[in-house]
Amino acid sequence: ATIRLNRPRHHNRLEADDLGVLLELFDRVEADKALRVLVLTGTGRTFSSGYDLGSVAERAVSANEQQSAGSAFEAVVNRLEDIAVPT
């Protein structure tokens, strides 16, 4: 399976809405026993510039919301690390 980040103008940065989508895709990949490998790639010159920290500041009105945004990104990274297929 291939998951391609496709926001090349912004160096494939991840935004808040992307995190849930990635978790769902990881679950689908892991549930399909026919898949033997996952390729996570990006469009353009950059794989990914990481998480859009500017959106955290814009969206968060409290420290709790800022912390939950960071926790959501951490959950995606941890899930990717723990996925059962080679990545």
Side-chain angles (χ1 to χ4, degrees), residues 52-61 66:
D52 181 15
L53 297 177
S55 71
V56 173
E58 290 171 9
R59 293 174 62 164
V61 295
Q66 286 180 342

Side-chain angles (χ1 to χ4, degrees), residues 21-81:
V21 172
L22 284 170
L23 289 173
E24 181 182 316
L25 290 170
F26 295 160
D27 288 344
R28 288 174 48 192
V29 165
E30 199 163 43
D32 187 341
K33 300 303 179 198
L35 293 177
R36 299 183 54 144
V37 67
L38 169 62
V39 176
L40 183 59
T41 188
T43 301
R45 301 178 334 171
T46 309
F47 164 64
S48 177
S49 60
Y51 189 68
D52 181 15
L53 297 177
S55 71
V56 173
E58 290 171 9
R59 293 174 62 164
V61 295
S62 71
N64 286 342
E65 288 183 32
Q66 286 180 342
Q67 185 175 5
S68 68
S71 298
F73 180 73
E74 183 177 5
V76 169
V77 173
N78 289 341
R79 181 71 177 95
L80 179 60
E81 184 177 285

Side-chain angles (χ1 to χ4, degrees), residues 6-21:
N6 193 22
R7 199 173 280 127
R9 270 180 125 181
H10 302 284
H11 301 279
N12 299 314
R13 75 174 174 222
L14 297 173
E15 296 181 2
D17 294 339
D18 300 329
L19 302 180
V21 172

